[in-house]
Amino acid sequence: DGGITQSPKYLFRKEGQNVTLSCEQNLNHDAMYWYRQDPGQGLRLIYYSQIVNDFQKGDIAEGYSVSREKKESFPLTVTSAQKNPTAFYLCASSIEGGLWNEQFFGPGTRLTVL
Amino acid sequence: SQKIEQNSEALNIQEGKTATLTCNYTNYSPAYLQWYRQDPGRGPVFLLLIRENEKEKRKERLKVTFDTTLKQSLFHITASQPADSATYLCALEYSGSARQLTFGSGTQLTVLP
């Protein structure tokens, strides 16, 4: 089955610790995205990547970092500099170069800072 | 900056009725407007897309309209069922925006049996 996987589903972190969220896709999509979703709010773009070894900041990149060493993988690190990291994190991918940008989402990771 | 508003955070309707959800935006019109469904604790799933030069799009019990004069899209679910209960998100894509989507906060629909 083709799709996007995110792990873990739930993640707990102590304040001051960095944590890395995994995102893998086997859809052969070039573009990948990370969003953050807070209760009652829409998805906010953290980072996106349109091609391997290249990525751009989204609207709320501060306190986060990413890498794109492989087409299939786009891990997100939530650093200790992120002041309010508790949220639901969603990874997505899409075909680059299509007429429109239909995005395919993973199941999400819920991060809680203790 | 672009602002998207989706009508009331929650909408309750009776099974069999038509649910109508609203997505309003400010500033300039997007090239494409998309609708996604999100179930609790899960990622959104794409439902329908409408282009700026289209007035209406249908898919089974779903219908989307797009009025660039009113800067509004309406999303209709006819003959609604309890299984349609979910949060529905609208998302805008602009030409030249590096293919980014801007999402609304969503409307939580509950279809009562």
Side-chain angles (χ1 to χ4, degrees), chain A residues 23 30-36 44-61 64-68 73-76 90-94 96 101 103, chain B residues 94 96-102:
Chain A
C23 177
D30 289 303
M32 297 187 73
Y33 310 81
W34 273 106
Y35 294 91
R36 168 183 174 139
R44 291 185 289 168
L45 183 64
I46 305 173
Y47 268 98
Y48 65 100
S49 168
Q50 294 172 294
I51 195 169
V52 174
N53 292 322
D54 188 41
F55 48 83
Q56 287 78 39
K57 293 181 179 180
D59 300 321
I60 56 166
Y64 300 97
S65 66
V66 293
S67 63
R68 186 82 188 280
S73 178
F74 191 39
L76 173 75
L90 288 159
C91 178
S93 71
S94 67
E96 185 61 21
N101 187 11
Q103 294 188 6
Chain B
Y94 293 89
S97 65
R99 315 308 305 275
Q100 292 182 39
L101 293 180
T102 302

mmCIF file of all heavy atoms in Angstrom, chain A residues 23 30-36 44-61 64-68 73-76 90-94 96 101 103, chain B residues 94 96-102:
data_model
loop_
_atom_site.group_PDB
_atom_site.id
_atom_site.type_symbol
_atom_site.label_atom_id
_atom_site.label_comp_id
_atom_site.label_asym_id
_atom_site.label_seq_id
_atom_site.Cartn_x
_atom_site.Cartn_y
_atom_site.Cartn_z
ATOM 1 N N CYS A 23 8.757 11.020 9.376
ATOM 2 C CA CYS A 23 7.777 11.021 8.295
ATOM 3 C C CYS A 23 8.384 10.311 7.097
ATOM 4 O O CYS A 23 9.450 10.706 6.614
ATOM 5 C CB CYS A 23 7.379 12.443 7.912
ATOM 6 S SG CYS A 23 6.225 12.507 6.519
ATOM 7 N N ASP A 30 7.657 14.214 -4.833
ATOM 8 C CA ASP A 30 8.834 15.061 -4.652
ATOM 9 C C ASP A 30 8.671 16.015 -3.473
ATOM 10 O O ASP A 30 9.617 16.317 -2.771
ATOM 11 C CB ASP A 30 9.091 15.881 -5.923
ATOM 12 C CG ASP A 30 9.580 15.018 -7.061
ATOM 13 O OD1 ASP A 30 10.610 14.342 -6.875
ATOM 14 O OD2 ASP A 30 8.940 15.020 -8.122
ATOM 15 N N ALA A 31 7.464 16.541 -3.292
ATOM 16 C CA ALA A 31 7.250 17.579 -2.290
ATOM 17 C C ALA A 31 6.745 16.986 -0.977
ATOM 18 O O ALA A 31 5.909 16.074 -0.969
ATOM 19 C CB ALA A 31 6.234 18.606 -2.801
ATOM 20 N N MET A 32 7.272 17.504 0.116
ATOM 21 C CA MET A 32 6.827 17.088 1.446
ATOM 22 C C MET A 32 6.688 18.309 2.339
ATOM 23 O O MET A 32 7.357 19.330 2.127
ATOM 24 C CB MET A 32 7.802 16.079 2.060
ATOM 25 C CG MET A 32 7.893 14.782 1.255
ATOM 26 S SD MET A 32 8.870 13.493 2.036
ATOM 27 C CE MET A 32 7.778 12.961 3.377
ATOM 28 N N TYR A 33 5.799 18.190 3.323
ATOM 29 C CA TYR A 33 5.426 19.337 4.153
ATOM 30 C C TYR A 33 5.273 18.907 5.612
ATOM 31 O O TYR A 33 4.892 17.783 5.894
ATOM 32 C CB TYR A 33 4.070 19.912 3.708
ATOM 33 C CG TYR A 33 3.949 20.176 2.242
ATOM 34 C CD1 TYR A 33 3.656 19.146 1.358
ATOM 35 C CD2 TYR A 33 4.132 21.463 1.733
ATOM 36 C CE1 TYR A 33 3.543 19.375 -0.005
ATOM 37 C CE2 TYR A 33 4.019 21.701 0.378
ATOM 38 C CZ TYR A 33 3.730 20.657 -0.483
ATOM 39 O OH TYR A 33 3.628 20.898 -1.824
ATOM 40 N N TRP A 34 5.523 19.840 6.517
ATOM 41 C CA TRP A 34 5.201 19.660 7.921
ATOM 42 C C TRP A 34 4.269 20.778 8.365
ATOM 43 O O TRP A 34 4.529 21.960 8.101
ATOM 44 C CB TRP A 34 6.456 19.692 8.790
ATOM 45 C CG TRP A 34 7.122 18.373 8.939
ATOM 46 C CD1 TRP A 34 8.275 17.950 8.355
ATOM 47 C CD2 TRP A 34 6.674 17.277 9.749
ATOM 48 N NE1 TRP A 34 8.569 16.667 8.730
ATOM 49 C CE2 TRP A 34 7.605 16.226 9.595
ATOM 50 C CE3 TRP A 34 5.573 17.082 10.590
ATOM 51 C CZ2 TRP A 34 7.477 15.001 10.246
ATOM 52 C CZ3 TRP A 34 5.443 15.865 11.237
ATOM 53 C CH2 TRP A 34 6.390 14.837 11.060
ATOM 54 N N TYR A 35 3.184 20.371 9.038
ATOM 55 C CA TYR A 35 2.216 21.313 9.582
ATOM 56 C C TYR A 35 2.076 21.087 11.079
ATOM 57 O O TYR A 35 2.272 19.986 11.590
ATOM 58 C CB TYR A 35 0.833 21.117 8.962
ATOM 59 C CG TYR A 35 0.722 21.433 7.497
ATOM 60 C CD1 TYR A 35 0.931 20.451 6.540
ATOM 61 C CD2 TYR A 35 0.391 22.713 7.069
ATOM 62 C CE1 TYR A 35 0.800 20.727 5.194
ATOM 63 C CE2 TYR A 35 0.263 23.006 5.725
ATOM 64 C CZ TYR A 35 0.465 22.006 4.787
ATOM 65 O OH TYR A 35 0.341 22.301 3.455
ATOM 66 N N ARG A 36 1.626 22.134 11.711
ATOM 67 C CA ARG A 36 1.265 22.048 13.121
ATOM 68 C C ARG A 36 -0.209 22.413 13.228
ATOM 69 O O ARG A 36 -0.685 23.356 12.561
ATOM 70 C CB ARG A 36 2.122 23.046 13.912
ATOM 71 C CG ARG A 36 1.652 23.269 15.327
ATOM 72 C CD ARG A 36 2.484 24.297 16.032
ATOM 73 N NE ARG A 36 1.894 24.575 17.339
ATOM 74 C CZ ARG A 36 2.585 24.746 18.438
ATOM 75 N NH1 ARG A 36 3.915 24.705 18.405
ATOM 76 N NH2 ARG A 36 1.990 24.977 19.582
ATOM 77 N N ARG A 44 -0.943 25.039 10.202
ATOM 78 C CA ARG A 44 0.051 26.079 9.937
ATOM 79 C C ARG A 44 1.337 25.420 9.441
ATOM 80 O O ARG A 44 1.823 24.464 10.045
ATOM 81 C CB ARG A 44 0.307 26.911 11.201
ATOM 82 C CG ARG A 44 -0.884 27.779 11.596
ATOM 83 C CD ARG A 44 -0.539 28.677 12.774
ATOM 84 N NE ARG A 44 -0.395 27.919 14.014
ATOM 85 C CZ ARG A 44 0.126 28.417 15.137
ATOM 86 N NH1 ARG A 44 0.573 29.649 15.161
ATOM 87 N NH2 ARG A 44 0.195 27.671 16.215
ATOM 88 N N LEU A 45 1.873 25.968 8.363
ATOM 89 C CA LEU A 45 3.013 25.364 7.698
ATOM 90 C C LEU A 45 4.311 25.677 8.447
ATOM 91 O O LEU A 45 4.630 26.844 8.696
ATOM 92 C CB LEU A 45 3.101 25.875 6.258
ATOM 93 C CG LEU A 45 4.200 25.299 5.386
ATOM 94 C CD1 LEU A 45 3.979 23.800 5.164
ATOM 95 C CD2 LEU A 45 4.247 26.030 4.053
ATOM 96 N N ILE A 46 5.069 24.619 8.747
ATOM 97 C CA ILE A 46 6.335 24.781 9.458
ATOM 98 C C ILE A 46 7.489 24.830 8.467
ATOM 99 O O ILE A 46 8.264 25.788 8.432
ATOM 100 C CB ILE A 46 6.557 23.635 10.458
ATOM 101 C CG1 ILE A 46 5.388 23.515 11.432
ATOM 102 C CG2 ILE A 46 7.860 23.846 11.234
ATOM 103 C CD1 ILE A 46 5.470 22.294 12.338
ATOM 104 N N TYR A 47 7.638 23.773 7.685
ATOM 105 C CA TYR A 47 8.671 23.672 6.670
ATOM 106 C C TYR A 47 8.104 22.894 5.480
ATOM 107 O O TYR A 47 7.176 22.102 5.631
ATOM 108 C CB TYR A 47 9.893 22.902 7.193
ATOM 109 C CG TYR A 47 10.979 23.741 7.807
ATOM 110 C CD1 TYR A 47 11.059 23.888 9.188
ATOM 111 C CD2 TYR A 47 11.950 24.355 7.020
ATOM 112 C CE1 TYR A 47 12.061 24.652 9.765
ATOM 113 C CE2 TYR A 47 12.961 25.108 7.597
ATOM 114 C CZ TYR A 47 13.013 25.261 8.970
ATOM 115 O OH TYR A 47 14.013 26.007 9.540
ATOM 116 N N TYR A 48 8.697 23.117 4.310
ATOM 117 C CA TYR A 48 8.360 22.289 3.179
ATOM 118 C C TYR A 48 9.598 22.070 2.320
ATOM 119 O O TYR A 48 10.557 22.854 2.367
ATOM 120 C CB TYR A 48 7.214 22.879 2.356
ATOM 121 C CG TYR A 48 7.509 24.195 1.675
ATOM 122 C CD1 TYR A 48 7.832 24.256 0.326
ATOM 123 C CD2 TYR A 48 7.427 25.390 2.383
ATOM 124 C CE1 TYR A 48 8.078 25.461 -0.299
ATOM 125 C CE2 TYR A 48 7.675 26.602 1.770
ATOM 126 C CZ TYR A 48 7.990 26.638 0.434
ATOM 127 O OH TYR A 48 8.251 27.848 -0.172
ATOM 128 N N SER A 49 9.533 20.995 1.538
ATOM 129 C CA SER A 49 10.657 20.626 0.679
ATOM 130 C C SER A 49 10.107 20.201 -0.667
ATOM 131 O O SER A 49 9.220 19.354 -0.743
ATOM 132 C CB SER A 49 11.445 19.485 1.318
ATOM 133 O OG SER A 49 12.363 18.928 0.410
ATOM 134 N N GLN A 50 10.641 20.760 -1.710
ATOM 135 C CA GLN A 50 10.164 20.435 -3.053
ATOM 136 C C GLN A 50 11.088 19.446 -3.760
ATOM 137 O O GLN A 50 10.723 18.885 -4.798
ATOM 138 C CB GLN A 50 10.020 21.707 -3.892
ATOM 139 C CG GLN A 50 8.920 22.634 -3.359
ATOM 140 C CD GLN A 50 8.890 23.972 -4.063
ATOM 141 O OE1 GLN A 50 9.833 24.760 -3.949
ATOM 142 N NE2 GLN A 50 7.825 24.260 -4.786
ATOM 143 N N ILE A 51 12.279 19.258 -3.181
ATOM 144 C CA ILE A 51 13.233 18.354 -3.800
ATOM 145 C C ILE A 51 14.244 17.925 -2.747
ATOM 146 O O ILE A 51 14.447 18.642 -1.746
ATOM 147 C CB ILE A 51 13.918 19.050 -4.991
ATOM 148 C CG1 ILE A 51 14.629 18.031 -5.882
ATOM 149 C CG2 ILE A 51 14.852 20.148 -4.510
ATOM 150 C CD1 ILE A 51 15.097 18.621 -7.200
ATOM 151 N N VAL A 52 14.881 16.804 -2.980
ATOM 152 C CA VAL A 52 15.878 16.302 -2.034
ATOM 153 C C VAL A 52 16.982 17.336 -1.832
ATOM 154 O O VAL A 52 17.366 18.054 -2.763
ATOM 155 C CB VAL A 52 16.467 14.970 -2.559
ATOM 156 C CG1 VAL A 52 17.612 14.502 -1.671
ATOM 157 C CG2 VAL A 52 15.387 13.908 -2.617
ATOM 158 N N ASN A 53 17.445 17.422 -0.590
ATOM 159 C CA ASN A 53 18.532 18.323 -0.187
ATOM 160 C C ASN A 53 18.174 19.802 -0.292
ATOM 161 O O ASN A 53 19.071 20.657 -0.343
ATOM 162 C CB ASN A 53 19.809 18.051 -1.000
ATOM 163 C CG ASN A 53 20.412 16.698 -0.669
ATOM 164 O OD1 ASN A 53 20.399 16.268 0.489
ATOM 165 N ND2 ASN A 53 20.942 16.027 -1.666
ATOM 166 N N ASP A 54 16.885 20.093 -0.305
ATOM 167 C CA ASP A 54 16.446 21.486 -0.336
ATOM 168 C C ASP A 54 15.142 21.608 0.447
ATOM 169 O O ASP A 54 14.258 20.761 0.326
ATOM 170 C CB ASP A 54 16.246 21.966 -1.773
ATOM 171 C CG ASP A 54 15.989 23.457 -1.824
ATOM 172 O OD1 ASP A 54 16.662 24.208 -1.084
ATOM 173 O OD2 ASP A 54 15.120 23.885 -2.605
ATOM 174 N N PHE A 55 15.029 22.682 1.241
ATOM 175 C CA PHE A 55 13.799 22.905 1.989
ATOM 176 C C PHE A 55 13.687 24.392 2.301
ATOM 177 O O PHE A 55 14.676 25.129 2.278
ATOM 178 C CB PHE A 55 13.743 22.063 3.272
ATOM 179 C CG PHE A 55 14.987 22.118 4.108
ATOM 180 C CD1 PHE A 55 15.211 23.162 5.000
ATOM 181 C CD2 PHE A 55 15.939 21.113 4.022
ATOM 182 C CE1 PHE A 55 16.355 23.207 5.784
ATOM 183 C CE2 PHE A 55 17.089 21.147 4.803
ATOM 184 C CZ PHE A 55 17.294 22.194 5.680
ATOM 185 N N GLN A 56 12.447 24.820 2.561
ATOM 186 C CA GLN A 56 12.176 26.225 2.836
ATOM 187 C C GLN A 56 11.346 26.360 4.105
ATOM 188 O O GLN A 56 10.557 25.489 4.444
ATOM 189 C CB GLN A 56 11.393 26.872 1.676
ATOM 190 C CG GLN A 56 12.199 27.120 0.421
ATOM 191 C CD GLN A 56 12.401 25.856 -0.378
ATOM 192 O OE1 GLN A 56 11.495 25.038 -0.480
ATOM 193 N NE2 GLN A 56 13.586 25.683 -0.928
ATOM 194 N N LYS A 57 11.530 27.493 4.767
ATOM 195 C CA LYS A 57 10.745 27.783 5.958
ATOM 196 C C LYS A 57 9.313 28.117 5.579
ATOM 197 O O LYS A 57 9.058 28.775 4.573
ATOM 198 C CB LYS A 57 11.359 28.963 6.715
ATOM 199 C CG LYS A 57 12.715 28.674 7.317
ATOM 200 C CD LYS A 57 13.230 29.893 8.064
ATOM 201 C CE LYS A 57 14.595 29.595 8.694
ATOM 202 N NZ LYS A 57 15.120 30.777 9.437
ATOM 203 N N GLY A 58 8.402 27.666 6.430
ATOM 204 C CA GLY A 58 7.014 28.055 6.299
ATOM 205 C C GLY A 58 6.718 29.247 7.191
ATOM 206 O O GLY A 58 7.607 30.032 7.523
ATOM 207 N N ASP A 59 5.482 29.339 7.634
ATOM 208 C CA ASP A 59 5.054 30.496 8.418
ATOM 209 C C ASP A 59 5.550 30.489 9.864
ATOM 210 O O ASP A 59 5.647 31.531 10.501
ATOM 211 C CB ASP A 59 3.521 30.570 8.422
ATOM 212 C CG ASP A 59 2.960 30.716 7.022
ATOM 213 O OD1 ASP A 59 3.574 31.445 6.218
ATOM 214 O OD2 ASP A 59 1.927 30.094 6.724
ATOM 215 N N ILE A 60 5.821 29.284 10.398
ATOM 216 C CA ILE A 60 6.164 29.196 11.833
ATOM 217 C C ILE A 60 7.381 28.305 12.042
ATOM 218 O O ILE A 60 7.372 27.398 12.861
ATOM 219 C CB ILE A 60 4.961 28.674 12.653
ATOM 220 C CG1 ILE A 60 4.464 27.324 12.110
ATOM 221 C CG2 ILE A 60 3.816 29.683 12.652
ATOM 222 C CD1 ILE A 60 3.516 26.603 13.059
ATOM 223 N N ALA A 61 8.465 28.572 11.344
ATOM 224 C CA ALA A 61 9.641 27.697 11.370
ATOM 225 C C ALA A 61 10.498 27.845 12.629
ATOM 226 O O ALA A 61 11.314 26.968 12.937
ATOM 227 C CB ALA A 61 10.496 27.957 10.141
ATOM 228 N N TYR A 64 12.134 24.954 15.031
ATOM 229 C CA TYR A 64 12.062 23.670 14.335
ATOM 230 C C TYR A 64 13.217 23.555 13.344
ATOM 231 O O TYR A 64 13.747 24.561 12.885
ATOM 232 C CB TYR A 64 10.756 23.538 13.559
ATOM 233 C CG TYR A 64 9.497 23.622 14.383
ATOM 234 C CD1 TYR A 64 8.790 24.821 14.505
ATOM 235 C CD2 TYR A 64 8.988 22.494 15.031
ATOM 236 C CE1 TYR A 64 7.634 24.904 15.257
ATOM 237 C CE2 TYR A 64 7.820 22.564 15.777
ATOM 238 C CZ TYR A 64 7.150 23.772 15.886
ATOM 239 O OH TYR A 64 5.993 23.842 16.629
ATOM 240 N N SER A 65 13.583 22.314 13.019
ATOM 241 C CA SER A 65 14.541 22.084 11.950
ATOM 242 C C SER A 65 14.162 20.817 11.198
ATOM 243 O O SER A 65 13.459 19.949 11.744
ATOM 244 C CB SER A 65 15.975 21.965 12.496
ATOM 245 O OG SER A 65 16.095 20.811 13.298
ATOM 246 N N VAL A 66 14.587 20.743 9.937
ATOM 247 C CA VAL A 66 14.265 19.578 9.108
ATOM 248 C C VAL A 66 15.495 19.183 8.296
ATOM 249 O O VAL A 66 16.470 19.917 8.214
ATOM 250 C CB VAL A 66 13.104 19.868 8.129
ATOM 251 C CG1 VAL A 66 11.787 20.080 8.866
ATOM 252 C CG2 VAL A 66 13.436 21.048 7.234
ATOM 253 N N SER A 67 15.401 18.018 7.689
ATOM 254 C CA SER A 67 16.393 17.576 6.715
ATOM 255 C C SER A 67 15.663 16.810 5.619
ATOM 256 O O SER A 67 14.571 16.279 5.844
ATOM 257 C CB SER A 67 17.455 16.694 7.372
ATOM 258 O OG SER A 67 16.871 15.507 7.887
ATOM 259 N N ARG A 68 16.281 16.749 4.456
ATOM 260 C CA ARG A 68 15.670 15.991 3.347
ATOM 261 C C ARG A 68 16.807 15.314 2.575
ATOM 262 O O ARG A 68 17.186 15.699 1.476
ATOM 263 C CB ARG A 68 14.883 16.920 2.427
ATOM 264 C CG ARG A 68 14.094 16.180 1.344
ATOM 265 C CD ARG A 68 12.794 15.652 1.810
ATOM 266 N NE ARG A 68 12.113 14.810 0.871
ATOM 267 C CZ ARG A 68 11.378 15.252 -0.176
ATOM 268 N NH1 ARG A 68 11.266 16.551 -0.419
ATOM 269 N NH2 ARG A 68 10.758 14.395 -0.952
ATOM 270 N N SER A 73 11.934 10.512 2.896
ATOM 271 C CA SER A 73 11.955 10.839 4.310
ATOM 272 C C SER A 73 12.120 12.332 4.556
ATOM 273 O O SER A 73 12.918 13.005 3.897
ATOM 274 C CB SER A 73 13.133 10.085 4.961
ATOM 275 O OG SER A 73 13.226 10.396 6.323
ATOM 276 N N PHE A 74 11.373 12.839 5.541
ATOM 277 C CA PHE A 74 11.420 14.281 5.852
ATOM 278 C C PHE A 74 11.226 14.450 7.356
ATOM 279 O O PHE A 74 10.180 14.877 7.817
ATOM 280 C CB PHE A 74 10.315 15.003 5.063
ATOM 281 C CG PHE A 74 10.403 16.502 5.073
ATOM 282 C CD1 PHE A 74 11.624 17.164 4.984
ATOM 283 C CD2 PHE A 74 9.253 17.278 5.123
ATOM 284 C CE1 PHE A 74 11.697 18.551 4.966
ATOM 285 C CE2 PHE A 74 9.303 18.673 5.096
ATOM 286 C CZ PHE A 74 10.533 19.311 5.017
ATOM 287 N N PRO A 75 12.226 14.134 8.165
ATOM 288 C CA PRO A 75 12.081 14.219 9.613
ATOM 289 C C PRO A 75 12.050 15.655 10.124
ATOM 290 O O PRO A 75 12.732 16.528 9.567
ATOM 291 C CB PRO A 75 13.314 13.473 10.136
ATOM 292 C CG PRO A 75 14.308 13.579 9.026
ATOM 293 C CD PRO A 75 13.526 13.589 7.751
ATOM 294 N N LEU A 76 11.304 15.871 11.168
ATOM 295 C CA LEU A 76 11.166 17.181 11.800
ATOM 296 C C LEU A 76 11.718 17.114 13.218
ATOM 297 O O LEU A 76 11.315 16.238 13.993
ATOM 298 C CB LEU A 76 9.697 17.600 11.859
ATOM 299 C CG LEU A 76 9.372 18.875 12.647
ATOM 300 C CD1 LEU A 76 9.790 20.113 11.868
ATOM 301 C CD2 LEU A 76 7.878 18.948 12.984
ATOM 302 N N LEU A 90 1.446 17.196 11.633
ATOM 303 C CA LEU A 90 1.040 16.468 10.438
ATOM 304 C C LEU A 90 2.074 16.623 9.334
ATOM 305 O O LEU A 90 2.537 17.722 9.055
ATOM 306 C CB LEU A 90 -0.312 16.986 9.939
ATOM 307 C CG LEU A 90 -1.517 16.607 10.795
ATOM 308 C CD1 LEU A 90 -2.679 17.538 10.544
ATOM 309 C CD2 LEU A 90 -1.915 15.163 10.520
ATOM 310 N N CYS A 91 2.393 15.505 8.723
ATOM 311 C CA CYS A 91 3.285 15.488 7.570
ATOM 312 C C CYS A 91 2.440 15.227 6.322
ATOM 313 O O CYS A 91 1.441 14.491 6.396
ATOM 314 C CB CYS A 91 4.334 14.391 7.754
ATOM 315 S SG CYS A 91 5.484 14.212 6.389
ATOM 316 N N ALA A 92 2.806 15.832 5.216
ATOM 317 C CA ALA A 92 2.065 15.632 3.970
ATOM 318 C C ALA A 92 3.037 15.568 2.803
ATOM 319 O O ALA A 92 4.189 15.999 2.907
ATOM 320 C CB ALA A 92 1.058 16.760 3.759
ATOM 321 N N SER A 93 2.554 15.025 1.699
ATOM 322 C CA SER A 93 3.361 15.007 0.480
ATOM 323 C C SER A 93 2.470 15.287 -0.713
ATOM 324 O O SER A 93 1.231 15.155 -0.629
ATOM 325 C CB SER A 93 4.074 13.663 0.315
ATOM 326 O OG SER A 93 3.150 12.642 -0.004
ATOM 327 N N SER A 94 3.075 15.680 -1.808
ATOM 328 C CA SER A 94 2.314 15.933 -3.026
ATOM 329 C C SER A 94 3.225 15.779 -4.234
ATOM 330 O O SER A 94 4.461 15.811 -4.114
ATOM 331 C CB SER A 94 1.695 17.335 -3.004
ATOM 332 O OG SER A 94 2.688 18.338 -3.060
ATOM 333 N N GLU A 96 5.061 17.105 -7.322
ATOM 334 C CA GLU A 96 5.579 18.407 -7.726
ATOM 335 C C GLU A 96 5.422 18.535 -9.239
ATOM 336 O O GLU A 96 5.707 17.612 -9.992
ATOM 337 C CB GLU A 96 7.062 18.530 -7.344
ATOM 338 C CG GLU A 96 7.683 19.880 -7.612
ATOM 339 C CD GLU A 96 7.022 20.995 -6.834
ATOM 340 O OE1 GLU A 96 6.367 20.718 -5.810
ATOM 341 O OE2 GLU A 96 7.130 22.157 -7.241
ATOM 342 N N ASN A 101 -2.122 21.293 -6.210
ATOM 343 C CA ASN A 101 -1.350 20.716 -5.121
ATOM 344 C C ASN A 101 -2.242 19.947 -4.159
ATOM 345 O O ASN A 101 -2.434 20.360 -3.022
ATOM 346 C CB ASN A 101 -0.607 21.835 -4.393
ATOM 347 C CG ASN A 101 0.358 21.296 -3.357
ATOM 348 O OD1 ASN A 101 0.629 20.107 -3.304
ATOM 349 N ND2 ASN A 101 0.878 22.175 -2.525
ATOM 350 N N GLN A 103 -2.733 17.417 -1.471
ATOM 351 C CA GLN A 103 -1.774 16.887 -0.508
ATOM 352 C C GLN A 103 -2.310 15.631 0.170
ATOM 353 O O GLN A 103 -3.494 15.539 0.478
ATOM 354 C CB GLN A 103 -1.412 17.960 0.519
ATOM 355 C CG GLN A 103 -0.664 19.134 -0.114
ATOM 356 C CD GLN A 103 -0.115 20.118 0.891
ATOM 357 O OE1 GLN A 103 -0.187 19.904 2.096
ATOM 358 N NE2 GLN A 103 0.450 21.202 0.386
ATOM 359 N N TYR B 94 -2.528 29.440 -4.248
ATOM 360 C CA TYR B 94 -2.337 30.588 -5.114
ATOM 361 C C TYR B 94 -1.252 30.309 -6.131
ATOM 362 O O TYR B 94 -0.261 29.650 -5.838
ATOM 363 C CB TYR B 94 -1.972 31.820 -4.291
ATOM 364 C CG TYR B 94 -3.106 32.280 -3.422
ATOM 365 C CD1 TYR B 94 -3.252 31.780 -2.135
ATOM 366 C CD2 TYR B 94 -4.036 33.185 -3.892
ATOM 367 C CE1 TYR B 94 -4.309 32.177 -1.344
ATOM 368 C CE2 TYR B 94 -5.096 33.595 -3.112
ATOM 369 C CZ TYR B 94 -5.233 33.085 -1.833
ATOM 370 O OH TYR B 94 -6.284 33.477 -1.065
ATOM 371 N N GLY B 96 1.988 30.828 -8.093
ATOM 372 C CA GLY B 96 3.232 31.471 -7.705
ATOM 373 C C GLY B 96 3.514 31.431 -6.228
ATOM 374 O O GLY B 96 4.397 32.126 -5.741
ATOM 375 N N SER B 97 2.784 30.623 -5.483
ATOM 376 C CA SER B 97 2.985 30.569 -4.028
ATOM 377 C C SER B 97 3.850 29.398 -3.636
ATOM 378 O O SER B 97 3.800 28.962 -2.493
ATOM 379 C CB SER B 97 1.630 30.457 -3.327
ATOM 380 O OG SER B 97 1.016 29.221 -3.663
ATOM 381 N N ALA B 98 4.631 28.892 -4.561
ATOM 382 C CA ALA B 98 5.447 27.702 -4.325
ATOM 383 C C ALA B 98 4.569 26.534 -3.915
ATOM 384 O O ALA B 98 4.994 25.691 -3.132
ATOM 385 C CB ALA B 98 6.501 27.979 -3.257
ATOM 386 N N ARG B 99 3.364 26.490 -4.428
ATOM 387 C CA ARG B 99 2.420 25.384 -4.251
ATOM 388 C C ARG B 99 1.966 25.220 -2.812
ATOM 389 O O ARG B 99 1.518 24.173 -2.406
ATOM 390 C CB ARG B 99 3.012 24.072 -4.752
ATOM 391 C CG ARG B 99 3.702 24.158 -6.095
ATOM 392 C CD ARG B 99 2.829 24.785 -7.166
ATOM 393 N NE ARG B 99 1.564 24.142 -7.345
ATOM 394 C CZ ARG B 99 1.362 23.087 -8.122
ATOM 395 N NH1 ARG B 99 2.360 22.575 -8.786
ATOM 396 N NH2 ARG B 99 0.170 22.568 -8.231
ATOM 397 N N GLN B 100 2.086 26.240 -2.002
ATOM 398 C CA GLN B 100 1.650 26.133 -0.627
ATOM 399 C C GLN B 100 0.136 26.218 -0.546
ATOM 400 O O GLN B 100 -0.512 26.877 -1.336
ATOM 401 C CB GLN B 100 2.260 27.247 0.212
ATOM 402 C CG GLN B 100 3.754 27.137 0.395
ATOM 403 C CD GLN B 100 4.277 28.249 1.275
ATOM 404 O OE1 GLN B 100 3.632 28.623 2.258
ATOM 405 N NE2 GLN B 100 5.431 28.780 0.937
ATOM 406 N N LEU B 101 -0.413 25.536 0.450
ATOM 407 C CA LEU B 101 -1.831 25.627 0.756
ATOM 408 C C LEU B 101 -2.010 26.430 2.033
ATOM 409 O O LEU B 101 -1.237 26.275 2.987
ATOM 410 C CB LEU B 101 -2.438 24.237 0.959
ATOM 411 C CG LEU B 101 -2.518 23.319 -0.253
ATOM 412 C CD1 LEU B 101 -3.148 21.988 0.134
ATOM 413 C CD2 LEU B 101 -3.306 23.976 -1.376
ATOM 414 N N THR B 102 -3.021 27.284 2.046
ATOM 415 C CA THR B 102 -3.397 28.014 3.257
ATOM 416 C C THR B 102 -4.721 27.439 3.727
ATOM 417 O O THR B 102 -5.708 27.466 2.982
ATOM 418 C CB THR B 102 -3.539 29.514 2.975
ATOM 419 O OG1 THR B 102 -2.299 30.001 2.452
ATOM 420 C CG2 THR B 102 -3.864 30.269 4.257
#
